[in-house]
Amino acid sequence: AQSVTQPDARVTVSEGASLQLRCKYSYSATPYLFWYVQYPRQGLQLLLKYYSGDPVVQGVNGFEAEFSKSNSSFHLRKASVHWSDSAVYFCAVQGTGSKLSFGKGAKLTVSP
Amino acid sequence: NAGVIQTPRHKVTGKGQEATLWCEPISGHSAVFWYRQTIVQGLEFLTYFRNQAPIDDSGMPKERFSAQMPNQSHSTLKIQSTQPQDSAVYLCASGSTNSDYTFGSGTRLLVI
């Protein structure tokens, strides 16, 4: 079975500061990994994905994530956050089959 | 491309009534997924179809919930005898082998 843990349910950072949101996955093989963002009353939007190759993947709006097989992790990073980045961020894993298993999400608040 | 369209956006039903939720996938996408989102449980997989055929319904509650995909242009999720614990945001997503999953904005169901 596949699963995802996001240990930080709420994160507050100052505008312009760097960000890291942590994600740990559980899956026996190398999975497909995703980060999604959800703004209030909207669906999920894909930020970036990892299938194989370079462990650092670039996404939209300056986000990137690094896959680590040894740590079973896929942490999301951004060098400088903007107030518009305030949202809920979900890490997801796709293992066997096509369904996604999501973490509980991390609510990011960017303070002025 | 209007994206994945879910209707209605909001639905209020009385306890014991039936609720039908609609999803129109992106044209050309062969897979349709249904997820349920609550504060407590987070994002839960319910079921998915590929080329209109049911592939995995392992997340569907065994009673009262059913899903169909009668044609490639829409899928429905039906909840019979709704209960307050069914209150949630129901998200539909579509995708294909050569594209990422796209989520709709969801249907917010409230059972009173």
Side-chain angles (χ1 to χ4, degrees):
Chain A
Q2 62 213 43
S3 65
V4 171
T5 300
Q6 293 181 247
D8 306 309
R10 295 178 181 272
V11 177
T12 299
V13 298
S14 299
E15 190 166 21
S18 63
L19 168 71
Q20 175 171 279
L21 297 179
R22 295 181 291 164
C23 172
K24 299 273 284 185
Y25 70 89
S26 174
Y27 185 62
S28 56
T30 300
Y32 295 165
L33 294 160
F34 305 82
W35 275 98
Y36 285 87
V37 62
Q38 186 176 37
Y39 298 100
R41 296 178 179 77
Q42 295 187 25
L44 301 171
Q45 300 174 28
L46 182 65
L47 279 178
L48 46 79
K49 61 190 177 189
Y50 172 79
Y51 286 168
S52 64
D54 189 338
V56 178
V57 291
Q58 303 297 320
V60 299
N61 297 333
F63 285 95
E64 68 174 29
E66 183 167 5
F67 167 68
S68 171
K69 187 171 184 178
S70 60
N71 294 323
S72 298
S73 67
F74 189 55
H75 301 331
L76 180 71
R77 302 189 296 241
K78 188 171 184 178
S80 176
V81 297
H82 186 263
W83 64 267
S84 59
D85 293 326
S86 295
V88 182
Y89 292 79
F90 293 94
C91 181
V93 61
Q94 180 183 4
T96 54
S98 297
K99 68 183 181 183
L100 296 173
S101 296
F102 290 89
K104 293 290 191 182
K107 184 175 183 178
L108 173 66
T109 301
V110 179
S111 59
Chain B
N1 184 354
V4 176
I5 299 173
Q6 290 190 248
T7 55
R9 288 297 307 272
H10 303 273
K11 186 173 184 64
V12 180
T13 64
K15 181 179 174 181
Q17 293 184 327
E18 181 178 285
T20 300
L21 313 180
W22 290 69
C23 172
E24 181 180 329
I26 291 173
S27 177
H29 281 187
S30 58
V32 171
F33 299 80
W34 285 95
Y35 290 83
R36 178 169 63 182
Q37 185 176 26
T38 60
I39 298 294
V40 174
Q41 298 295 332
L43 281 154
E44 300 174 282
F45 166 79
L46 293 176
T47 186
Y48 102 89
F49 298 84
R50 184 170 293 280
N51 296 321
Q52 299 172 233
I55 302 299
D56 182 351
D57 67 353
S58 59
M60 291 279 274
K62 297 307 176 190
E63 298 180 355
R64 303 188 295 105
F65 282 65
S66 62
Q68 294 183 327
M69 191 163 185
N71 57 59
Q72 63 186 5
S73 64
H74 86 273
S75 175
T76 58
L77 179 68
K78 184 179 293 186
I79 309 172
Q80 295 178 314
S81 185
T82 54
Q83 302 298 310
Q85 61 264 31
D86 299 332
S87 297
V89 176
Y90 291 83
L91 292 167
C92 176
S94 72
S96 64
T97 304
N98 299 318
S99 74
D100 300 316
Y101 300 134
T102 300
F103 282 81
S105 296
T107 294
R108 188 175 296 268
L109 175 67
L110 176 63
V111 182
I112 56 176

